[in-house]
């Protein structure tokens, strides 16, 4: 089977410092995959190695079956990367920037290319900026151009390294709408982000890195169910009846402003618990059901020392 991204036992050392310590993962074609971790975990080093910006000290990396070292031309053509840092040529307009970027991949200036560039500009709300010099754009607009640059040669695999860092809500919504569309059409997406709610909503599988190692790798649903929980919290007019106190996992506030927390596995348990509260004479003044959150999962896994936690395919 040919994976969109295939990383096998990759190590990267800078002198005595190990940035990547035997990283292995596979991303299937058409997946929306998240690579998460705290600052310094090795995410950007892994992406730089995948892009050919730095060579691995050991191990292999392949993009659509092409080794990034021995078949680097094919691997580069199959990959589009949106970098974390905003980098641009101050002497070109937006359209010229995209035309030159296409040229780096051997794509000639044709009506077909111009049509694709126009489509990218429209999808990213850059049409009115097409002939503006890059220096005239705001930071958010420059980031949109970086996305267009990564896509202009139509790569099947797209890597987004913190694409929404420091951008406004409009750009975030525009970007994710377009990226979802590309994923629906078969593009493979690898996302790194510190906005964990984005990863939870968008990605079907997640890998978490810590100190250069993969410490968790599983589907989003499995990680949420294994390390987080659904919670019912209720506010009562009065005290919680004693028979139910033993089921409470937490409480916040005092007297009439007290919230009582109960762990539930599915929504059927909500009905049962509310019935028991009413039977015990409790009067419910407010209630909420909170869903499992990836942030909670992330914190728990990062605080564990066992590097084998959470591994699955």
């Amino acid at each position: 089977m040919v994976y969109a991204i295939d990383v096998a036992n990759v190590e990267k050392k800078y002198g005595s410092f190990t940035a990547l310590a035997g990283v292995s993962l596979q991303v299937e074609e058409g997946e929306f995959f998240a690579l998460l971790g705290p600052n310094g975990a090795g995410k950007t080093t892994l992406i730089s190695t995948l892009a050919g910006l730095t060579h691995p000290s050991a191990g292999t990396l392949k993009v659509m079956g092409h080794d990034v070292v021995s078949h680097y031309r094919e691997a580069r053509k199959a990959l589009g990367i949106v970098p974390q840092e905003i980098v641009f040529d101050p002497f070109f307009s937006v359209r010229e920037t995209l035309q030159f970027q296409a040229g780096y991949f051997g794509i000639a200036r044709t009506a077909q290319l111009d049509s694709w560039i126009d489509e990218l500009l429209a999808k990213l709300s850059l049409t009115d900026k097409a002939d503006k010099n890059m220096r005239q754009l705001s930071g958010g607009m420059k980031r949109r151009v970086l996305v267009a640059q990564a896509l202009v040669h139509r790569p099947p695999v797209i890597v987004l390294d913190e694409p929404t860092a420091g951008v406004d809500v409009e750009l975030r919504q525009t970007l994710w709408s377009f990226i979802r569309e590309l994923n629906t059409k078969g593009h493979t997406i690898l996302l790194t982000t510190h906005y964990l709610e984005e990863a939870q909503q968008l990605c079907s599988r997640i890998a978490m890195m810590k100190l250069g190692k993969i410490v968790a790798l599983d589907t989003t649903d499995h990680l949420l169910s294994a390390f987080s929980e659904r919670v019912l919290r209720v506010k009562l007019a009065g005290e919680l009846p004693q028979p139910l106190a033993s089921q409470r996992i937490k409480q916040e506030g005092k007297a009439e402003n007290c919230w009582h927390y109960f762990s539930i596995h599915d929504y059927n348990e909500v009905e049962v618990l509310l019935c028991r509260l009413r039977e015990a004479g409790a009067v419910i003044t407010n209630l909420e059901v909170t869903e499992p959150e990836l942030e909670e999962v992330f914190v728990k896994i990062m605080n564990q020392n066992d590097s084998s936690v959470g591994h699955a395919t």
Side-chain angles (χ1 to χ4, degrees):
M1 179 179 181
V2 175
Y3 291 102
I5 297 174
D6 191 356
V7 179
N9 302 311
V10 170
E11 297 180 5
K12 180 60 184 178
K13 297 183 178 181
Y14 298 94
S16 61
F17 176 71
T18 300
L20 298 174
V23 173
S24 295
L25 63 87
Q26 290 80 37
V27 180
E28 295 184 7
E29 289 186 56
E31 268 199 283
F32 208 134
F33 188 94
L35 181 65
L36 307 179
N39 291 330
K43 304 185 301 297
T44 299
T45 300
L46 181 59
I47 290 173
S48 296
T49 308
L50 193 66
L53 297 176
T54 182
H55 282 196
S57 304
T60 60
L61 303 96
K62 296 179 181 179
V63 180
M64 299 300 294
H66 305 295
D67 189 284
V68 302
V69 176
S70 60
H71 297 94
Y72 62 91
R73 290 186 186 276
E74 294 84 353
R76 302 295 188 281
K77 287 181 180 179
L79 189 65
I81 294 183
V82 180
Q84 190 174 24
E85 299 82 10
I86 295 178
V87 181
F88 66 96
D89 192 315
F91 300 104
F92 294 139
S93 69
V94 172
R95 187 180 299 277
E96 289 170 337
T97 296
L98 299 181
Q99 289 168 344
F100 272 92
Q101 182 73 19
Y104 296 147
F105 291 92
I107 302 174
R109 173 78 182 277
T110 62
Q112 184 179 14
L113 173 62
D114 288 341
S115 176
W116 174 234
I117 288 176
D118 286 340
E119 184 177 344
L120 287 175
L121 295 173
K123 292 288 187 181
L124 294 166
S125 301
L126 285 168
T127 301
D128 61 336
K129 309 293 183 183
D131 298 315
K132 296 278 188 182
N133 188 282
M134 288 292 295
R135 287 176 293 184
Q136 296 176 277
L137 302 186
S138 65
M141 290 295 176
K142 289 188 180 83
R143 192 166 291 280
R144 296 186 195 203
V145 177
L146 291 181
V147 175
Q149 282 183 266
L151 300 175
V152 74
H153 64 290
R154 298 178 185 266
V157 182
I158 303 165
V159 176
L160 306 170
D161 190 3
E162 299 284 351
T164 55
V167 303
D168 59 38
V169 174
E170 180 186 3
L171 170 57
R172 190 172 299 180
Q173 292 178 344
T174 299
L175 174 62
W176 290 135
S177 176
F178 186 33
I179 295 300
R180 278 194 183 102
E181 181 182 332
L182 291 171
N183 183 237
T184 301
K185 292 180 178 178
H187 290 265
T188 303
I189 313 295
L190 174 64
L191 168 69
T192 75
T193 180
H194 287 297
Y195 297 109
L196 300 188
E197 69 277 8
E198 292 181 344
Q200 182 173 344
Q201 293 170 8
L202 295 165
C203 302
S204 58
R205 280 204 305 148
I206 294 173
M208 296 186 185
M209 294 188 68
K210 180 180 180 182
L211 299 177
K213 298 179 180 180
I214 300 288
V215 294
L217 175 57
D218 210 332
T219 66
T220 306
D221 289 342
H222 285 171
L223 285 171
L224 290 170
S225 62
F227 291 93
S228 187
E229 59 187 354
R230 187 176 286 113
V231 173
L232 169 68
R233 68 176 199 155
V234 297
K235 187 179 288 187
L236 306 176
E239 295 293 324
L240 178 69
Q242 191 59 38
L244 290 159
S246 60
Q247 286 187 248
R248 181 179 59 195
I249 59 173
K250 186 175 71 170
Q251 72 179 72
E252 286 182 352
K254 296 180 180 179
E256 68 276 3
N257 290 318
C258 183
W259 284 97
H260 305 276
Y261 290 73
F262 300 88
S263 176
I264 57 174
H265 295 93
D266 58 57
Y267 289 109
N268 292 328
E269 294 182 28
V270 175
E271 183 179 355
V272 173
L273 188 56
L274 294 179
C275 183
R276 291 189 62 193
L277 284 166
R278 288 192 295 268
E279 289 175 349
V283 178
I284 301 170
T285 61
N286 202 350
L287 67 87
E288 294 178 359
V289 176
T290 61
E291 294 296 320
E293 292 185 354
L294 189 58
E295 183 173 337
E296 180 184 354
V297 176
F298 182 82
V299 170
K300 285 182 178 179
I301 290 176
M302 290 301 114
N303 288 335
Q304 290 188 358
N305 294 319
D306 182 3
S307 63
S308 66
V309 64
H311 277 65
T313 56

